[in-house]
Amino acid sequence: MFRDIRQRLAASVVTIVLASFVSFVVLRALPGDPARLIAGPLAGQETIEATRRGLGLDEPFFAQYGLFLWDFVRGDWGYSFSVGEQVRTALTSRLAATFELALYAFLLAIVGALVCASVASFRPGLRRGLVRLFALVGLGSPPFWVGLVLIVVFSAQLGWWPGPSGRLSPQLVPPPSVTGFHTIDFALQGDIIGVSDSAAHLVLPVLSLALLPWAFLTRLLTANMADTAVQPYILVVRSKGVAAWPTHVRHVLANSLLPTVSSCGLILATMITGSVLVETVFNWPGVGAMLTEGISSQDFALVQSFILLSAILYVIGNLVGDAVNRMIDARLRTSGAAQ
Amino acid sequence: MTQSATVVNVDGLRVAYGGTEVVHGVSFQLRRGSRLGVVGESGSGKSTIARAILGLLPSEGRVTDGRITLLGTDVVQRTDKEMNDLRGRVVSLVFQDPLTSLDPVKRIGKQIAEVIVQHDKKLPRPEVRKRCVTLLNEVGVNDAERRLEQYPHEISGGMRQRVLIAIAIANQPDVLIADEPTTALDVTTQAQVLDLLKTTADRHGMSVILVTHDLGVVAEFCDEVVVMKTGEIVETGTARQLFSAPREDYTRHLLDCIPRAGDRRPGPEFDYQVETEPVVRVTGLRKQYGRTTVLEDVDLAIHARETVGIVGESGAGKSTLARTIIRLETPSGGTVELAGADFGRARSKRLRELRRDIQMVFQDPFSSLDPHMQIQDIVAQPLIVHGLADRAAARTRAAAMLDGMGLGTEYLERVPRNLSGGQRQRVAIARALILGPALTVLDEPISALDVSVRAQVLDLLREEQLALGTAYLFIVHDLAVARYFCDRIAVLFEGRIVEYGTPEDLFENPVHPHTKRLLGAIPDPWRNN
Amino acid sequence: MAVTVTAAPTMASRRPWPRIITIIVLAAYLTLAIAGIFVQDQSNVADVTNTLQQPSAEHLLGTDGEGRDVLTRVAVGAGISIMLAAISVVLGSVGGLIVALACGLGARWLDRVLMAPMNAVLAFPQLLLTMAIAIALGTGLQSAVIGIVVTIIPVFAVTLRGEALRSRSEAFVEAAITIGLPRWRIALRHVVPYLGTTMTIQVAANFGNAVITLAALSYIGVGARPPTAEWGAMINDGLQHAVSGQWWVGVAPGLALLGLVIAVNILTDQIRARRSADA
């Protein structure tokens, strides 16, 4: 088992290195002047020259790549002219907002998908049809449009929850940062108004961000459950006298979850891209919104670091999904050892 | 036969999937303590009946008419909830394919305990565990304590089947339904499992319904038999009467398909007195995967018109031998000489040329024909590949070949999906033989077919051999078939040939203990009945 | 001999309605897109006297902030989305197929060499890499398409490679080997048709994704340049009017996109269902 994980780990490192190469190539080898791209459209000739030297653009190709990699590993991700900060500080200072959004969305997606898929595979007819429709709509809607529709309905028309106004109402002061999550930090302060205000601000963005992974997981789980339900061992369990619902929970669900865990990385990916697409809709002060601004002002240093970081995150996510899968599923454990 | 002695009474049962009726009014009784065999080919509806008795039809299946009475109560009228109380306690199931009949992510112990706890919720845990151990011991699983902690993939197929039996008998039900319980097992394991089923059923006074396609198994196991065909009962009777004096043509036909001792395929015997040069000579053949040796030191010489059978249990290396000789696998050592040429070491273009003289018929005719090609093109393809004919001429010859095999012009433009299993295998044979190869490797060519077409395919193979003079290397697990069809038989055991001789030598005077074990396990319908 | 019935026929596969409805919807989108070509010139005509009109008989989907007819722009957008998504998917699938055949049927080393860059591309969340490529090549629909193609190729390559590898152990491919068929002819004659259904499913699924990605790129601002009536750009434009109550500006193009993607996804499901029914 450990040998197997070591191999996967090695493969992941190789993939990350290759990914860094891809992100390097995209910037340096494509037509256009990288120094100009990185320094930004408003930079003067001197700044561009300085950037060119800093990037080592006079060096041979692979030396440039080595320099790029070294800088990245050291944590020197360049200067973002659109934010006016080092890329690293810019990213880390906005991470908490994104994490808070993504974590709630992640939980909603998983719990929601479990409920939907169970309903769909256990109750044929109308309810199964509704779940299927939900999955189709969820998979077909771009997250930013979902945000727009939610704002139109729940904010502009019904006025239930705030629309594009960030994490807090303007009259409130952000709580002292402990976890970086406004909901939790307010709760630690015992500030009920703060908790409910920050929670209300979370509702619509969380829904917009969660819909795609929710629908995706629902679909995946439903398909897995349908496959599992017709397996001979389910018939054997039923022949023992176990009723339909306990059979579903004990055997169908358990066997359907396993292949779902390994798509953990994919969920992570939808979260990352989702936050890029959703945060601007709600003026959410997170990493995604910053990236979108960076894109419109052609801030390549920011964009490059962001995509490389998300690639690393994505690879790690896949690795963790795999490892968890192995831990739960005895078959994978021993087959790995046998080979 | 009194009414009270009947534990299961199926009366005028009709079952439909969606709008299609698949069981058309079936009636039979299972008497207390007896063992009833329900025999039929695929599509006969036998498994559907088994599931109907348990009240566990697939979701689109419905009992449209008739009654199933289980110990006096009607199964069809009962709700699912009421049935839960009966299932696992009064009636239980031993299902086919032990590989997929146990939940792969749950420990063995948990799966046995489930059926015990289900019907006795107050039983304390240590007590449950003790009963699990007793059960495993009873079904002959050694080291029971340890097995409880294992997962299904960690134990062998035969042992999994034993665990399934343990689950089925856990609450000592009155009725045991066994659906093809031994189909996926080796001959020797099959004999053991049948024996186990029989003794446990006797010990606990259980009545058994055995659903199977295999008449040999029925003969070994059952005292009464129901023969089914396409959803209807063809014949009912005691096993003795059925095997000695079948009343219906269909039953007789099924019985005729089982080769009996003394039966021999048509055509002259191979004359070993005449010295001829073999068409294929295999010397010291070895095949390794990594450090595992699958074949070791295999020598074979096969002559024109000769049929050499390879028998052995699964895992003995039969298929690997076939695949290595035909070069789907590269030999790790030794030589394969084909009509004097070094086939075992030939490469690329030379290898492809030599393939003209050595062809193969695969086990599964459903997967060995390209689903996207027309029948005529499948058979014509070898001729075109070797430049022996242009497309038109090749199609003409293919048509003639197929016509000789009973597949007329109406089949030529069909795709494989629109043919039955037996017809597909004919196409596969035509494809292999159209080149007139010196050797044809037959890898279990009849085991994926329904019983009633097996004999036809064997006859066809023999006819073609007599006409074309090709030699056969016949991989087969069924010893009765090997005795019927082969000139010489090699017994493969752990990758080596442990015995090699004519069918008489082998069957009359087996030398190697493994051969003796194999022979002892063959079910013989006429031995008891 | 009668054909034996082994599997129970399911009711669902017999019903023709879902398929008919899907095809009608897709045909409607094509009609809309073709109509869009004829009204292309009007799609960018601003009318300052007529801004943000509610949906009415005159403007079925209302007008946007510059007084342009939303329905006209949605129709033009349909043409852009369908055409560009189709181009991306065709290029991506052909590229992916070639890589997959080389990997699945060729030598080990070739497989390794070709799969490494594929995996590297797959290591990125798809949209982000597409974005980066589009930015590097300069804003515009062309860059967006190139970005999508680059990220789609590995998706096809990996799926089809798996199938191609599986085909190697299919008995009919082994039969072709024993007949003496050269490898490249096995690939063309037997393996490519074998990949057919998977390929169709992937094409349909990726078409839907391409439509969404294209819109997302334009929404962020690296796809279509402003006056172009691209759905994603229109949604972005509609965002500023969402809070003030002019919902139709942003909702209409999104609905059009949703309908198209749903129709394509249902079609994908049907192909998938038919394949598993055949198997």
Side-chain angles (χ1 to χ4, degrees), chain A residues 231-233 235-244 250-251 254-255 258 328-331 333-335, chain B residues 51 56 80 84 87-88 93 95 100-106 111 114-115 118-119 151 153-154 164 167:
Chain A
Q231 291 297 313
Y233 58 80
L235 182 67
V236 170
V237 170
R238 294 284 277 125
S239 82
K240 295 176 185 174
V242 181
R250 269 183 245 162
H251 299 273
N255 278 284
L258 287 173
I328 317 177
D329 193 339
R331 276 170 301 178
R333 232 171 12 229
T334 40
S335 71
Chain B
R51 293 185 66 162
L56 288 176
D80 194 49
N84 284 334
R87 287 190 285 254
L93 173 73
F95 202 48
T100 53
S101 292
L102 290 168
D103 188 334
V105 302
K106 296 269 189 312
Q111 301 197 45
E114 190 172 34
V115 68
Q118 181 66 32
H119 297 283
Y151 288 93
H153 71 274
E154 295 172 319
L164 278 172
I167 290 173

Side-chain angles (χ1 to χ4, degrees), chain C residues 15-180:
Chain C
R15 258 185 263 153
W17 279 110
R19 195 170 310 146
I20 293 172
I21 293 173
T22 322
I23 288 168
I24 289 175
V25 170
L26 287 175
Y29 269 98
L30 276 181
T31 319
L32 187 70
I34 292 165
I37 297 172
F38 292 107
V39 294
Q40 198 150 25
D41 302 338
Q42 297 156 38
S43 71
N44 288 330
V45 177
D47 179 0
V48 281
T49 59
N50 226 353
T51 58
L52 298 172
Q53 295 294 305
Q54 287 214 0
S56 63
E58 199 185 341
H59 297 289
L60 283 176
L61 293 176
T63 62
D64 69 3
E66 294 175 40
R68 297 172 294 195
D69 180 51
V70 174
L71 177 60
T72 310
R73 288 175 66 76
V74 166
V76 173
I80 295 175
S81 289
I82 292 175
M83 191 176 71
L84 294 188
I87 292 175
S88 318
V89 169
V90 167
L91 292 179
S93 61
V94 171
L97 177 67
I98 293 170
V99 175
L101 286 177
C103 289
L105 305 176
R108 270 267 179 87
W109 64 266
L110 189 65
D111 185 26
R112 293 221 175 123
V113 167
L114 285 175
M115 281 321 283
M118 297 292 130
N119 283 327
V121 171
L122 284 176
F124 295 91
Q126 203 177 357
L127 182 70
L128 289 183
L129 186 62
T130 319
M131 240 170 48
I133 294 171
I135 297 169
L137 293 174
T139 304
L141 284 171
Q142 230 177 19
S143 324
V145 168
I146 294 174
I148 295 176
V149 170
V150 169
T151 51
I152 275 185
I153 287 179
V155 174
F156 274 90
V158 166
T159 331
L160 295 178
R161 169 183 172 268
E163 288 284 297
L165 281 176
R166 191 170 315 145
S167 80
R168 282 168 86 151
S169 56
E170 284 282 342
F172 70 84
V173 171
E174 295 194 328
I177 296 173
T178 62
I179 285 171

Side-chain angles (χ1 to χ4, degrees), chain B residues 218-264:
Chain B
V218 170
E220 289 285 301
F221 191 81
C222 302
D223 34 45
E224 282 175 66
V225 186
V226 171
V227 181
M228 290 196 60
K229 188 189 177 192
T230 56
E232 281 169 20
I233 290 185
V234 177
E235 183 167 357
T236 312
T238 63
R240 182 180 300 275
Q241 174 247 316
L242 197 87
F243 284 99
S244 56
R247 283 191 301 266
E248 298 295 323
D249 285 344
Y250 181 70
T251 318
R252 212 167 294 135
H253 175 62
L254 282 184
L255 287 172
D256 283 345
C257 293
I258 305 174
R260 305 181 199 201
D263 280 2
R264 192 71 182 142

Side-chain angles (χ1 to χ4, degrees), chain A residues 6 19 28-29 34 47 59 69 135 159-160 179 237 246 250 255 266 288 290 309 313 320 329:
Chain A
R6 266 213 305 279
R28 304 287 165 88
T47 326
E59 311 272 325
L69 206 59
W160 290 0
T179 59
V237 170
R250 269 183 245 162
N255 278 284
L266 217 62
M290 181 174 72
L309 283 173
L313 205 60
V320 169
D329 193 339

